[in-house]
Amino acid sequence: MSVRQSLLAILDQGPCYGYQLRHEFDRRTGSTWPLNVGQIYNTLERLERDGLVQRGEADDHGHVYWRITPAGSAEAARWLTTPVLRAPATREELAVKLAVAATLPGVDAAAILRSQREASRQRLDELRRTPSPGLAAGSPEDLAWSLVLDSLVCAAEAELRWLDQAEARLAQHPHPEMALELTTERPKRGRPAKAAPSPIAGGDPVALPA
């Protein structure tokens, strides 16, 4: 989630002060990721440093309005029209945990998976039971909240589907046969072998033979 670009996109509608920006962000995201005012102002100061917003004078109520610059408008438009790609360096903790557990002697990876499925199922049930925050049906705020909730539900459903697939894969490989003991081979020191992009995780390197 990019707070920086979201604030720019809101400011592209017109000048806002800090608390107003927080309120507008909440309205547009269903209050799913609440921001504190300190985070808002820290982000605004960085945007000002980068020439994307300008600080105005305080009004009679002490509100300092921030205005977007032409460069900021261009950045907001670029963000809105560019597809979101998962960061290549992101390591999915659950996948890593199961992969490591499946190769550790004496660790019951299947039990870990069952425990995770129960927790993931509970999370999905909680999301599906999430009550409406009292927004008017069909309002812009209700639409924003629904979009965010749908995203969370779909992600939880996808996780459960992956856990089912992982369980089936584990069942095909008896754990004792897949356990890895510590290698006695000493890793070579120095730079790793030249790497090529990997289709897994959006391009993480895969070592090539020397």
Side-chain angles (χ1 to χ4, degrees):
M1 180 193 63
S2 176
V3 173
R4 173 186 174 97
Q5 279 83 358
S6 297
L7 297 188
L8 277 178
I10 294 170
L11 284 172
D12 208 27
Q13 282 193 285
C16 296
Y17 57 90
Y19 280 93
Q20 183 182 5
L21 272 174
R22 183 177 70 171
H23 177 66
E24 293 295 338
F25 181 86
D26 285 348
R27 289 178 64 206
R28 287 162 170 77
T29 59
S31 300
T32 306
W33 300 287
L35 301 176
N36 61 57
V37 175
Q39 186 177 4
I40 294 283
Y41 281 110
N42 286 338
T43 303
L44 286 170
E45 288 172 0
R46 289 194 294 270
L47 291 170
E48 182 184 34
R49 177 201 63 195
D50 296 338
L52 302 178
V53 301
Q54 290 178 337
R55 187 193 316 239
E57 298 294 331
D59 65 9
D60 294 339
H61 301 284
H63 298 144
V64 176
Y65 282 81
W66 297 76
R67 299 176 182 274
I68 198 166
T69 65
S73 292
E75 174 64 17
R78 184 201 63 76
W79 177 63
L80 290 170
T81 57
T82 302
V84 174
L85 301 177
R86 303 297 181 187
T90 299
R91 290 176 174 84
E92 212 292 312
E93 181 180 0
L94 178 54
V96 171
K97 178 180 179 179
L98 283 178
V100 171
T103 61
L104 289 176
V107 174
D108 189 346
I112 293 174
L113 191 149
R114 289 192 296 271
S115 175
Q116 180 64 49
R117 180 190 283 107
E118 178 62 25
S120 299
R121 172 61 65 183
Q122 289 179 6
R123 170 63 173 161
L124 177 58
D125 290 343
E126 290 171 0
L127 288 170
R128 287 174 171 169
R129 293 195 303 266
T130 301
S132 170
L135 302 171
S139 67
E141 291 86 354
D142 182 60
L143 171 61
W145 176 79
S146 298
L147 287 171
V148 172
L149 181 61
D150 288 346
S151 172
L152 296 174
V153 168
C154 287
E157 291 174 340
E159 181 171 283
L160 283 167
R161 288 196 299 272
W162 175 76
L163 286 169
D164 288 342
Q165 184 174 345
E167 183 177 45
R169 191 175 296 277
L170 285 174
Q172 296 172 3
H173 302 284
H175 183 259
E177 296 179 12
M178 293 293 107
L180 291 174
E181 299 292 343
L182 292 177
T183 181
T184 57
E185 180 182 350
R186 294 186 178 183
K188 295 180 180 179
R189 300 182 65 178
R191 291 181 177 273
K194 185 178 180 181
S198 166
I200 299 175
D204 280 351
V206 172
L208 296 177

